[in-house]
Amino acid sequence: MQDFDSLKNMWQQPAKGGEVSREILDSITHTKTTKMKLQKPQLHGAIALTITAIFIACLALFGNLNFKHWYTYGGMVLICLICLVQAGFMYATYKKIKTIDDTVEPAAHLQQWEAYYDLRKKQNRWNMPVYYLLLNVAMAIYMVEIFTGRPVVNVLIFIGVYAAWMLFAYFYLGRKNLKKEDNRLQTIINDLKSIEGQLKKSE
């Protein structure tokens, strides 16, 4: 909050007219709020995936599952590792947003967000496809023994429901979240460009 107050004071000073100053403050407040909205999903996702990995690990160690094949436990280990790696990636993204300096001059602040936006566009091209691919490979390994000896109809129903959920999560929820993130980043960049333009006019 101290950083935000410093930014507000620094960016408000060049504005001579009260109307321009009010517009600038509104834009800064909106940018601050949007930044927090970008941080929360990354942090919450990292926590959720870490808890999921811990739960699966505890289930494998203390759940008395009595699987006969080592690769079934191997599938569970892979799921844990994939969740932890993705959690680490999301936490690193959270830290990346958090380290964007709110107290630098407007032009430098805008450059930081533009650089982060370019980074996220590159990351989003590969992160979600790789994550879903690896997760489903691990799940397939785990399910081999689970499905062995089961009625074919039950297996097909489970696979159908699971595949439908994965497709929904990937093509709808995943892309919806990426689009929301992209819109928020564009909003921040547009707000900062607007602030910079107003400051130049008021000099």
Side-chain angles (χ1 to χ4, degrees):
M1 192 64 187
Q2 186 177 2
D3 288 346
F4 175 58
D5 291 336
S6 300
L7 175 69
K8 182 173 67 176
N9 292 334
M10 181 182 69
W11 287 19
Q12 187 179 8
Q13 286 173 1
K16 304 300 182 183
E19 182 179 350
V20 176
S21 177
R22 182 72 262 167
E23 291 177 3
I24 292 173
L25 290 178
D26 288 343
S27 296
I28 293 172
T29 302
H30 189 228
T31 298
K32 182 72 175 180
T33 302
T34 306
K35 180 180 178 180
M36 293 176 65
K37 288 180 179 179
L38 285 168
Q39 287 178 281
K40 284 182 180 179
Q42 300 298 330
L43 181 60
H44 293 170
I47 293 171
L49 286 172
T50 301
I51 293 173
T52 300
I54 292 171
F55 173 77
I56 294 172
C58 290
L59 192 63
L61 292 172
F62 310 113
N64 296 320
L65 300 176
N66 297 319
F67 291 130
K68 297 179 180 179
H69 302 289
W70 64 268
Y71 55 76
T72 308
Y73 290 103
M76 296 181 77
V77 171
L78 281 176
I79 294 171
C80 290
L81 290 175
I82 292 165
C83 287
L84 289 175
V85 169
Q86 183 65 10
F89 178 81
M90 296 184 79
Y91 184 72
T93 302
Y94 162 79
K95 292 289 289 183
K96 185 74 175 176
I97 302 171
K98 193 176 179 65
T99 55
I100 292 176
D101 191 353
D102 294 336
T103 64
V104 296
E105 294 182 357
H109 191 56
L110 175 60
Q111 287 178 353
Q112 288 181 340
W113 277 110
E114 288 178 330
Y116 175 76
Y117 182 47
D118 289 338
L119 175 66
R120 284 300 288 162
K121 285 195 294 185
K122 292 175 183 177
Q123 289 176 340
N124 290 335
R125 289 192 191 103
W126 61 264
N127 177 247
M128 192 168 69
V130 170
Y131 170 67
Y132 273 88
L133 176 63
L134 293 178
L135 181 63
N136 283 293
V137 168
M139 284 293 296
I141 294 171
Y142 169 74
M143 289 295 178
V144 170
E145 184 173 348
I146 303 295
F147 287 155
T148 302
R150 305 281 181 182
V152 175
V153 174
N154 291 351
V155 173
L156 291 176
I157 290 174
F158 180 87
I159 292 175
V161 172
Y162 176 81
W165 168 248
M166 282 292 117
L167 291 171
F168 176 75
Y170 183 87
F171 287 103
Y172 180 74
L173 295 179
R175 292 188 176 183
K176 180 181 178 182
N177 289 334
L178 290 180
K179 185 177 180 180
K180 186 183 294 184
E181 179 189 33
D182 186 79
N183 288 338
R184 284 172 175 168
L185 285 169
Q186 288 187 23
T187 297
I188 287 179
I189 291 171
N190 290 336
D191 281 349
L192 291 174
K193 286 181 178 178
S194 175
I195 292 171
E196 190 177 22
Q198 291 175 49
L199 289 175
K200 287 180 179 178
K201 289 179 181 179
S202 64
E203 289 177 353

